[in-house]
Amino acid sequence: MIVNPKISVLVPIYGVEKFIGRCAESLLNQTMKESVELIFINDASKDRSIDVLNETIESYPDYPGIIRIVTHEVNKGLPAARNTGLDAANGEYIVHIDGDDFAEPRMLELLYKAVSKNNADFAWCNYYITFTDKKKIISQPLFSEPIDAVRGMLRGSMKYNVWNKMCRLSLYKDNNIRFPEGNAMGEDLTMIMVALHAQSCVFVKDALYNYVQNEGQMTGTMDERKLTSLRYNCDRIREYISLKFPTSGLEAENAALCQLMKWPFLLDGKMSSYRRWHKWFPESNQYIWQTKGVNTRIKFVEWCAASHLLPIVWLHYIVVIRLYYGLVYGK
């Protein structure tokens, strides 16, 4: 029995019956198995997700690590499931895996080697956007200091999502960092709070995570509840930086985060979304050209929107979003 595992892998489960078997197999087949704790959080899933998970686990009777299933009696949502996982974890480092995604075989090994060699507080890696019959590698930037990684996440040049990273559990516990229960849209922004407290970091260039795009995911729309959550989480991060790190010099990056959050409103061709873009964080528009690391095309389209040049914004939607991405991703 492992007393002090090196890694705790947290997997929230709700409505992932079709995917959890592949996810679990990708973890049970990792090249690093010893000193690993797999914690699956059943968020009162109503389908056969847990049955499939148990069947998969039973087919690996010789797995040398720890496997635990923690159950919510009622559905509490993704952020609460992540918090339950953090409370149950005993590992030095935390890895988050979503139940409909899956890991490459060496993910745990390579990330742990990197943090151990560099005595790093957190690590991140490249990843794949994975479709049914193809995948596309998404490259992440290299930063040597945590504050620069924070700037990258705020600007959008680095993915702030939790699932392509390995972090010390102490970063969460020592700083009382929790995921925002009841506000699932944008909850991954919590990773910025974690990184702000890190003293060291390291980048692994290998693509080690598969971010699976399911039917309708690329073109899905957000209802008012999701938009309210997104706004809440964006405001939460901005306030956290202002209160906890008032001399960090992240004012422009804070504005860039606002632009990043409302950028999708310029991508669906709807007049209502265009109006919402103007309504959200209008004070951040003055920083459009001042933030480093943001794609020039994005800056230009945002400047056009701020300048009320709607025909150019619409042309970008038709040519880039509908035609180009339609060909690349087959959507």
Side-chain angles (χ1 to χ4, degrees):
M1 184 73 170
I2 303 171
V3 178
N4 296 306
K6 296 174 181 176
I7 302 169
S8 293
V9 182
L10 311 183
V11 187
I13 297 176
Y14 183 82
V16 289
E17 175 184 340
K18 296 180 180 179
F19 311 102
I20 189 59
R22 177 179 60 183
C23 176
E25 285 187 351
S26 76
L27 298 175
L28 293 164
N29 286 317
Q30 287 288 304
T31 54
M32 181 176 179
K33 299 181 178 69
E34 295 77 11
S35 298
V36 173
E37 175 184 49
L38 304 180
I39 302 176
F40 299 92
I41 304 96
N42 175 17
D43 192 24
S45 187
K46 298 178 181 179
D47 62 1
R48 292 191 67 255
S49 291
I50 301 305
D51 292 335
V52 174
L53 173 62
N54 281 321
E55 291 167 3
T56 304
I57 292 173
E58 288 171 3
S59 65
Y60 290 83
D62 298 324
Y63 180 75
I66 298 173
I67 302 175
R68 300 161 61 194
I69 300 177
V70 182
T71 301
H72 287 171
E73 294 301 321
V74 296
N75 178 254
K76 297 182 179 181
L78 179 58
R82 294 204 197 280
N83 288 335
T84 295
L86 289 174
D87 291 338
N90 296 303
E92 180 184 4
Y93 287 92
I94 294 293
V95 172
H96 296 274
I97 304 287
D98 286 348
D100 52 354
D101 296 335
F102 61 99
E104 290 293 305
R106 300 187 69 194
M107 181 176 183
L108 300 183
E109 174 197 351
L110 294 182
L111 287 176
Y112 186 74
K113 280 184 177 180
V115 294
S116 298
K117 180 180 179 180
N118 295 275
N119 192 28
D121 288 331
F122 78 99
W124 68 100
C125 62
N126 291 332
Y127 65 96
Y128 295 106
I129 290 183
T130 303
F131 298 92
T132 302
D133 56 352
K134 57 185 175 182
K135 61 172 62 177
K136 175 181 174 63
I137 189 170
I138 303 298
S139 297
Q140 294 293 277
L142 165 65
F143 298 112
S144 58
E145 297 295 332
I147 189 61
D148 293 325
V150 168
R151 290 191 177 98
M153 286 187 274
L154 289 169
R155 295 189 303 240
S157 61
M158 175 177 170
K159 199 75 169 176
Y160 57 74
N161 294 76
V162 297
W163 35 250
N164 70 326
K165 298 174 181 68
M166 178 177 285
C167 303
R168 286 193 197 274
L169 177 58
S170 60
L171 289 177
Y172 288 95
K173 296 201 170 183
D174 292 352
N175 299 292
N176 195 29
I177 295 174
R178 309 286 286 175
F179 287 91
E181 298 192 14
N183 290 282
M185 182 59 61
E187 51 91 24
D188 286 62
L189 286 164
T190 303
M191 182 52 59
I192 296 174
M193 297 166 64
V194 175
L196 279 164
H197 292 280
Q199 299 298 311
S200 55
C201 62
V202 62
F203 171 60
V204 177
K205 66 179 181 180
D206 302 77
L208 301 174
Y209 189 86
N210 288 270
Y211 177 42
V212 178
Q213 296 298 307
N214 302 316
E215 185 65 30
Q217 192 167 339
M218 290 292 287
T219 57
T221 58
M222 291 193 290
D223 57 27
E224 287 300 321
R225 180 180 59 82
K226 292 180 179 179
L227 288 170
T228 299
S229 290
L230 181 63
R231 180 63 186 258
Y232 170 85
N233 283 312
C234 184
D235 286 337
R236 175 175 177 248
I237 297 303
R238 296 168 70 210
E239 292 171 5
Y240 191 85
I241 293 173
S242 297
L243 291 174
K244 299 283 188 178
F245 299 89
T247 61
S248 60
L250 294 173
E251 292 81 7
E253 282 76 14
N254 243 336
L257 174 64
C258 298
Q259 297 299 117
L260 179 65
M261 292 300 101
K262 66 181 187 175
W263 166 245
F265 300 151
L266 299 179
L267 303 180
D268 64 6
K270 296 180 180 179
M271 196 63 192
S272 59
S273 297
Y274 179 73
R275 294 192 185 100
R276 192 185 299 273
W277 186 92
H278 279 277
K279 184 178 179 180
W280 277 34
F281 312 119
E283 69 280 1
S284 69
N285 292 343
Q286 63 182 303
Y287 292 96
I288 287 174
W289 292 110
Q290 296 181 32
T291 51
K292 300 177 182 179
V294 178
N295 184 285
T296 302
R297 171 179 59 86
I298 292 176
K299 288 182 179 181
F300 175 71
V301 175
E302 288 181 330
W303 176 82
C304 289
S307 302
H308 299 279
L309 300 175
L310 178 58
I312 298 179
V313 177
W314 177 256
L315 183 63
H316 172 266
Y317 164 69
I318 294 296
V319 175
V320 177
I321 306 303
R322 291 293 299 274
L323 296 181
Y324 176 73
Y325 286 132
L327 290 173
V328 171
Y329 296 115
K331 299 291 182 181

